[in-house]
Amino acid sequence: RDPGSRVRDIAAHCLLTERAVQKIIADLETGGYLAHTRVGRSNRYEIPSGTALRHPADAGPTVADLLALLTIDQEASEPAES
């Protein structure tokens, strides 16, 4: 949701160590699922458009399609603001 999230913030939110998050980010970048650009002293993360899911059984939908479904599901489960 926040392309400018710090590794520290992602780790805290996911209950992982910063080192584990760094490794996951590196693996996603190696696989072509994530890209980053340097903005000052920070990184800005982006999912390249059209990135396909890796498994042949999942051919068709893209990573962006999957994330859109997860975002819709998460928004539906969040309590409405008063």
Side-chain angles (χ1 to χ4, degrees), residues 9-79:
D9 298 332
I10 296 168
H13 183 78
C14 298
L15 303 175
L16 297 169
T17 65
E18 289 181 45
R19 184 79 174 136
V21 172
Q22 289 170 338
K23 183 171 179 357
I24 292 167
I25 288 172
D27 289 346
L28 290 171
E29 286 185 307
T30 299
Y33 291 98
L34 188 68
H36 79 273
T37 53
R38 202 75 175 145
V39 179
R41 292 176 27 191
S42 303
N43 288 320
R44 179 173 175 79
Y45 298 98
E46 180 180 355
I47 298 167
S49 61
T51 304
L53 296 171
R54 183 169 50 183
H55 196 278
D58 297 324
T62 63
V63 172
D65 295 333
L66 175 63
L67 291 175
L69 287 173
L70 295 173
T71 301
I72 290 169
D73 186 42
Q74 184 176 16
E75 289 172 354
S77 67
E78 291 177 354

